[in-house]
Amino acid sequence: AQTVTQSQPEMSVQEAETVTLSCTYDTSESDYYLFWYKQPPSRQMILVIRQEAYKQQNATENRFSVNFQKAAKSFSLKISDSQLGDAAMYFCALGTGGGADGLTFGKGTHLIIQP
Amino acid sequence: NAGVMQNPRHLVRRRGQEARLRCSPMKGHSHVYWYRQLPEEGLKFMVYLQKENIIDESGMPKERFSAEFPKEGPSILRIQQVVRGDSAAYFCASSPNPGTEETQYFGPGTRLLVL
């Protein structure tokens, strides 16, 4: 069975500061993908960033970057220069089967941005 | 460039009634996934479908729930004889071709409330 654990139910950061959200996972698959999704109050699920497990280079999308530690099965999300619009629930997700399996999600981290 | 469409966005049913949730995948996507999100929880995988085929229904409750993705028209998630515990947000996601593009793109969800 696959698991995804987000150990921080809630995080708070000052606007313009940097925050890191933690995620650990467990899978017996060698080929898998990791994702961070954002869910604002509208409840829409928005893809933030994705990482292929076979790639050693950490993914980056503008102010969002990941720290992928494959041996430790860790996949943290760093948000730089936090903005008020970043306030949301953030979910870490694991996909296997070349994308043919359903994603396994963590329980989420509620990110609060302090103005 | 329409994204994944879901309707209705909100659905209220009384106990014992039927709920039908519809999902139209993104243009060019032939793979559909359904997820359920209970309050304060992450998304849980329910079922994965291709056109006219159920590929994986391991997350689907054995009774009262069914899903289809016909050759023409949207995918339908059907819940018969709803109970209060079925109250949740139901999300649909689509992908173009697992194996070449693993990312799942989510619709806005349907909020089901059972009275």
Side-chain angles (χ1 to χ4, degrees), chain B residues 46-95:
Chain B
M46 299 180 74
V47 62
Y48 162 40
L49 310 102
Q50 295 178 21
K51 287 280 187 181
E52 301 185 280
N53 282 305
I54 296 175
I55 306 302
D56 180 1
E57 56 182 349
S58 59
M60 192 93 99
K62 294 289 185 282
E63 298 179 351
R64 302 186 299 108
F65 285 72
S66 62
E68 63 176 9
F69 189 14
K71 187 176 180 181
E72 300 291 336
S75 175
I76 306 287
L77 178 67
R78 183 181 176 206
I79 312 172
Q80 296 178 289
Q81 299 175 345
V82 296
V83 301
R84 289 211 174 112
D86 297 333
S87 296
Y90 292 83
F91 288 90
C92 167
S94 73
S95 68

Side-chain angles (χ1 to χ4, degrees), chain A residues 7-25:
Chain A
S7 58
Q8 305 155 317
E10 187 174 279
M11 291 285 284
S12 182
V13 64
Q14 290 289 130
E15 195 175 0
E17 297 294 308
T18 295
V19 64
T20 298
L21 308 184
S22 301
C23 172
T24 58
Y25 62 93

Side-chain angles (χ1 to χ4, degrees), chain A residues 100-114:
Chain A
D101 293 340
L103 298 177
T104 300
F105 282 84
K107 290 194 172 185
T109 296
H110 181 207
L111 179 63
I112 298 168
I113 310 295
Q114 305 278 6

